[in-house]
Amino acid sequence: MGIRVLAALVLVLAAGYLTLRALAGERPSLQSLELWSLAFGGGTGVLSLGMFYLAYCGILLSSLNVLIFAAGLLAVLAILQVLKFRSRRMRQVSRPVLQFTRKAAQPNHPFSPVEWVTLAVVGFCFLIVFADACSQPLLSFDARAIWAFKAKVLYFEQGIYNEAFLDAERLHAKTRYPQLIPLAETFIARVSGSFNERAFKLLFPCYFVSLVLLVGWELRREFSRRHALLATSFFAALPVFTIYANGGGASGYADLPLAFYCTALTTRLFRWLQDGSACALRVAVLLACLTAFTKTEGLALVFVTFSVTAFAGLFLFGRSLRSLRPLIAAVSAALICLTPWFIYKAQLPIVDEDFVRLLTPEKIASGLDRLPYILRSLGKEFFLKPHLWSLLWISAVALLLRSPKNTIRFSLVVFLWIPIFYTVLLCVIFMVIPWRLEELFPVALTRLMMHVAPLLFLWICFEVANSGVLFGITKFSDDSIRPGEG
């Protein structure tokens, strides 16, 4: 079974890699590390979304059908790569002068002892998460009652039209949650040949590795290699991702995958703001679909991220309303791709909260008495849990208070606005949600903050460099990679 599980993970990685190469177009702008950091999450999402389309059309999710779908998808993507390669070679033959216009590659300097230490820290964090995931089956409540339960229904019922999903009397937790994670677990089960929860847990350390690589790449674009590796090791060692039992990299919860997709989406949209990259916007369409298809909060994150991007485009990057049309087209394309899910979701029974009916002015006004408790709980989460967050939130508040005017004018403040607006939106939801907050916050608040923690970490690093708080750390050091180079 171990070889088959490994084969399933390799198929996921290959699907993501080829999909991203296809979205990159004729002139790929994705660098090597950037491409691999997005590949696993992209492959998981594409395969899960494709399996949902099959199930939506009434095609059984049997082992044969799933393998035929995966093989067909990989074959089509591989053919596209071959055709693109041939087209590029033909253009080079017809215009050979272009072969000599590229800059010579910069030499790679040997790693210093400090850099080796930071790499060892990152590698140790990876080892901890994988060892934790392999040491025991799924034990956390949500990992079993929400995601693995749905995967079990998908695996044994081989579809989405069954009593377990459609009959309100067959009650289970979060019936209307998106199904990316359950479908990904079903794919692992189909390829491996058995429904084994231990195999499912390997998905989540892979997401953790992808998230760390993604954060590391974004830091490398702005800083020297040494400073990027040092900051990446700090991020990889955040306890909330490595050892947190109810949401960390080995827990089997969907919050880490959602944090990955939100971070990837934000960085693609910011890249589009910087240089108008069509490749970044195409990849952003895919990532917006996957963000919304991972968890209910994902749709809110898509809304917040695109809204903040549009706002930043107008007021920080000096773009006109007309120039934002591609952004509107991108979010529209993502929602269109998810239309089958929205149609299917409307058929599911409502046994949990219905935010469409809850988020009314009257209910929000009646929930104002909850606001003091919500703010106190957020304060405790940010400042009194260093065993989970280290100094992440404390550092963010200190930097923001140091020079708020300069911070707001800094273009990379986009990475701060999204966590702020997302937290505000969560506060509004907490004011109307039909649950006792005293019971909800201890199990949910940390996981909700995980969704935007990588963005906040990136903003802290960028703001430290911009403000000159630490001597010697500046943007675009001598051997750093500028946007568009590589």
Side-chain angles (χ1 to χ4, degrees):
M1 186 199 69
I3 299 299
R4 290 187 175 184
V5 172
L6 182 60
L9 296 175
V10 170
L11 285 176
V12 169
L13 195 62
Y17 180 86
L18 292 174
T19 299
L20 292 168
R21 289 294 299 267
L23 291 174
E26 291 295 326
R27 300 183 64 184
S29 60
L30 292 171
Q31 303 299 320
S32 179
L33 179 60
E34 181 182 21
L35 183 60
W36 286 112
S37 70
L38 297 171
F40 184 84
T44 305
V46 167
L47 290 169
S48 296
L49 203 58
M51 288 172 62
F52 178 78
Y53 290 156
L54 293 178
Y56 181 80
C57 295
I59 300 173
L60 293 178
L61 297 179
S62 63
S63 297
L64 179 61
N65 289 340
V66 169
L67 290 173
I68 290 175
F69 161 69
L73 176 65
L74 290 172
V76 170
L77 293 172
I79 291 172
L80 288 176
Q81 287 305 304
V82 171
L83 294 176
K84 187 164 64 172
F85 176 75
R86 288 184 176 179
S87 176
R88 188 161 57 244
R89 286 292 299 272
M90 291 178 63
R91 288 199 304 273
Q92 289 176 348
V93 170
S94 62
R95 293 182 294 177
V97 68
L98 295 179
Q99 297 178 2
F100 304 98
T101 59
R102 296 186 63 184
K103 291 183 179 180
Q106 295 294 325
N108 290 322
H109 302 289
F111 283 93
S112 67
V114 172
E115 291 172 335
W116 280 116
V117 170
T118 58
L119 286 173
V121 170
V122 173
F124 182 67
C125 293
F126 290 167
L127 181 62
I128 287 177
V129 174
F130 272 99
D132 189 10
C134 296
S135 64
Q136 55 190 357
L138 290 172
L139 297 177
S140 302
F141 179 81
D142 282 9
R144 295 175 60 86
I146 298 178
W147 313 114
F149 176 84
K150 288 179 170 61
K152 196 168 188 177
V153 172
L154 291 165
Y155 181 82
F156 288 102
E157 297 288 343
Q158 301 186 25
I160 59 177
Y161 300 110
N162 50 68
E163 291 183 355
F165 288 149
L166 299 175
D167 187 352
E169 296 182 359
R170 296 283 300 275
L171 178 63
H172 69 274
K174 306 296 182 183
T175 56
R176 294 161 65 86
Y177 261 22
Q179 297 181 356
L180 185 148
I181 295 300
L183 286 163
E185 294 175 343
T186 304
F187 178 81
I188 298 294
R190 287 298 177 200
V191 176
S192 64
S194 64
F195 190 87
N196 190 321
E197 294 179 359
R198 288 181 182 269
F200 299 162
K201 291 193 75 176
L202 292 176
L203 282 169
F204 302 94
C206 291
Y207 270 109
F208 173 68
V209 172
S210 299
L211 179 60
V212 172
L213 291 178
L214 177 61
V215 170
W217 168 254
E218 292 303 319
L219 292 168
R220 183 65 182 97
R221 292 182 69 243
E222 304 291 334
F223 305 124
S224 68
R225 187 178 66 188
R226 182 180 62 179
H227 291 137
L229 285 173
L230 182 62
T232 303
S233 67
F234 288 147
F235 176 77
L238 278 176
V240 74
F241 292 118
T242 54
I243 62 174
Y244 183 43
N246 293 318
S251 65
Y253 282 43
D255 300 283
L256 179 59
L258 183 56
F260 167 80
Y261 288 125
C262 177
T263 305
L265 173 62
T266 302
T267 54
R268 297 314 97 189
L269 291 179
F270 187 76
R271 190 77 54 81
W272 176 77
L273 282 176
Q274 285 182 311
D275 53 28
S277 170
C279 168
L281 204 56
R282 287 193 295 268
V283 176
V285 172
L286 172 63
L287 293 169
C289 289
L290 304 184
T291 303
F293 196 51
T294 301
K295 206 176 176 190
T296 299
E297 293 87 349
L299 189 60
L301 281 168
V302 170
F303 170 76
V304 170
T305 303
F306 274 89
S307 299
V308 168
T309 302
F311 186 83
L314 291 173
F315 295 99
L316 294 180
F317 289 84
R319 289 178 174 267
S320 64
L321 285 173
R322 185 174 183 178
S323 69
L324 296 180
R325 288 180 181 176
L327 189 68
I328 299 173
V331 69
S332 301
L335 295 177
I336 290 172
C337 291
L338 286 175
T339 299
W341 163 247
F342 294 134
I343 295 174
Y344 172 73
K345 182 181 178 181
Q347 305 175 37
L348 298 176
I350 300 176
V351 295
D352 294 305
E353 61 273 0
D354 183 2
F355 294 114
V356 175
R357 296 180 181 179
L358 289 174
L359 290 172
T360 62
E362 295 79 11
K363 291 187 178 295
I364 294 174
S366 64
L368 285 174
D369 58 334
R370 285 183 166 191
L371 192 57
Y373 178 78
I374 293 172
L375 296 178
R376 286 198 304 271
S377 299
L378 287 173
K380 292 178 181 178
E381 182 70 32
F382 295 159
F383 305 119
L384 300 181
K385 290 188 178 181
H387 59 290
L388 291 178
W389 295 110
S390 188
L391 300 178
L392 180 70
W393 299 97
I394 296 174
S395 301
V397 172
L399 284 171
L400 184 60
L401 294 178
R402 180 180 179 273
S403 181
K405 290 185 178 180
N406 291 335
T407 297
I408 293 174
R409 297 191 187 104
F410 186 34
S411 63
L412 288 160
V413 77
V414 169
F415 292 92
L416 175 65
W417 284 351
I418 293 173
I420 288 177
F421 284 116
Y422 180 61
T423 304
V424 170
L425 182 58
L426 288 178
C427 290
V428 175
I429 292 174
F430 291 147
M431 290 164 60
V432 301
I433 201 167
W435 306 107
R436 295 190 64 223
L437 298 184
E438 295 80 2
E439 299 174 356
L440 178 66
F441 278 5
V443 298
L445 192 56
T446 299
R447 301 206 313 266
L448 291 169
M449 293 296 101
M450 285 175 62
H451 304 160
V452 291
L455 299 180
L456 188 68
F457 181 86
L458 286 171
W459 175 79
I460 290 172
C461 294
F462 298 149
E463 182 60 24
V464 165
N466 180 61
S467 60
V469 172
L470 296 179
F471 177 78
I473 298 182
T474 57
K475 287 186 62 182
F476 301 128
S477 297
D478 292 340
D479 64 334
S480 65
I481 299 177
R482 275 72 167 175
E485 294 183 3

